[in-house]
Amino acid sequence: MAATEILLSIGLGTALAAAVGLRVFLPLFALSIAAWSGHLELADPFAWLATPPALVMLGVATVLEVGAYYVPGVDNLLDVIATPAALLAGTIATAAVITDLPPLVRWTTAVIAGGGAAAITQGATTLLRAKSTGTTAGLANAAVASGELGGAAALSALALAAPLLALLVALAVLAVGLWLLALLWRRLKRRPSETASTEA
């Protein structure tokens, strides 16, 4: 496999994984459609993603997930469930598109790049929704859900059409996600000291 093709497949997988952090099933559904229609080659262990049953299952799961994020209260609960699911789905999405590499290399790359990308975007959106719930009593959560949906759809489509460009976009998204996570960490570290000084 040429180095360019390896880079393209890693870019595709990482961008899809970043999209998974926004919506777990939508990028996998897009991946399944692309593979089923013959526009994308999958690694042999993931050929099942190109089958009609997988296409239907992922399509139904996508519709249910998208709808559930517009239900107040359910959206916050889904964030708890979606975090481990995003790690798994991001790893699978990346491993599925990295073809012709030894399994150890494929899975190592998938876990680090795919799982890591999904974890960062999922963590950032979870924090954003929690902030929205706390400051607007959940009134702005529908706007957050719409932004996540649009981002997942756009990043998935871009990943399939222009993997390297999608990777650059995904890296920018991940940078923002890391910034949000670091901001929260600093606030959490500051809070106990502020409480102690207030009590004194």
Side-chain angles (χ1 to χ4, degrees):
M1 192 175 190
T4 303
E5 293 176 333
I6 293 174
L7 185 59
L8 284 172
S9 64
I10 292 173
L12 169 59
T14 305
L16 284 173
V20 162
L22 300 172
R23 279 295 172 275
V24 173
F25 292 108
L26 178 59
L28 290 178
F29 183 45
L31 178 64
S32 182
I33 291 173
W36 175 74
S37 63
H39 288 88
L40 183 66
E41 180 185 355
L42 299 178
D44 289 339
F46 301 95
W48 59 271
L49 279 169
T51 63
L55 195 65
V56 171
M57 178 188 70
L58 290 170
V60 171
T62 298
V63 171
L64 292 176
E65 181 188 25
V66 167
Y69 269 103
Y70 288 99
V71 179
V74 175
D75 54 354
N76 293 105
L77 177 62
L78 276 178
D79 276 337
V80 176
I81 301 169
T83 299
L87 289 170
L88 178 61
T91 301
I92 289 173
T94 305
V97 297
I98 299 176
T99 58
D100 298 329
L101 281 181
L104 179 62
V105 178
R106 179 194 304 136
W107 283 108
T108 301
T109 305
V111 169
I112 294 172
I120 292 169
T121 51
Q122 173 62 29
T125 55
T126 298
L127 291 177
L128 185 60
R129 183 171 289 99
K131 183 72 172 174
S132 170
T133 301
T135 57
T136 70
L139 295 177
N141 285 15
V144 173
S146 296
E148 291 170 345
L149 176 59
L155 195 50
S156 298
L158 187 60
L160 294 168
L164 290 183
L165 178 58
L167 178 60
L168 294 177
V169 173
L171 289 174
V173 170
L174 295 176
V176 172
L178 284 172
W179 175 78
L180 287 173
L181 291 171
L183 186 64
L184 175 71
W185 177 251
R186 285 198 299 271
R187 287 185 178 179
L188 289 175
K189 283 179 66 178
R190 196 182 313 138
R191 197 169 290 171
S193 60
E194 289 175 351
T195 303
S197 62
T198 303
E199 290 175 352

